[in-house]
Amino acid sequence: MEEEPIQGYKVRLWEADQDMATANDTIIKTRNRLESYISNLTPGQAYRMRVLAFSNGGDGRMSSPELHFQMGKLSECLR
């Protein structure tokens, strides 16, 4: 069985106290560099994140385990 070529990656991000069903995906196309900035994150908020590849054949398996991180507080960023 031949696999479809990867078109890019999805960074799936959601607030740590929410269900993954509330997640937002940031799409990173493979023709671009494999890095991305994610904006509109709330200072002090804890998040969970998983990454997956996608192609014309659909989405691949999500990274596991999910990454947990917390944004710095706004006052810490202004120092």
Side-chain angles (χ1 to χ4, degrees):
M1 183 166 144
E2 193 171 317
E3 296 286 328
E4 292 283 333
I6 292 174
Q7 293 181 312
Y9 296 89
K10 294 180 183 180
V11 177
R12 187 158 289 164
L13 187 71
W14 66 101
E15 292 183 0
D17 61 349
Q18 300 294 314
D19 187 84
M20 188 169 48
T22 65
N24 291 315
D25 288 348
T26 298
I27 307 295
I28 304 168
K29 300 282 188 166
T30 54
R31 69 178 176 264
N32 298 333
R33 295 182 352 189
L34 293 179
E35 62 184 46
S36 181
Y37 291 97
I38 300 173
S39 58
N40 299 327
L41 299 180
T42 304
Q45 178 65 49
Y47 290 93
R48 297 180 189 200
M49 181 178 82
R50 294 178 87 175
V51 179
L52 57 123
F54 68 91
S55 68
N56 283 335
D59 290 347
R61 297 180 87 174
M62 283 189 277
S63 60
S64 183
E66 57 195 36
L67 174 69
H68 295 245
F69 67 95
Q70 183 167 352
M71 297 300 295
K73 296 187 190 306
L74 186 57
S75 61
E76 294 170 358
C77 298
L78 298 176
R79 290 184 193 167

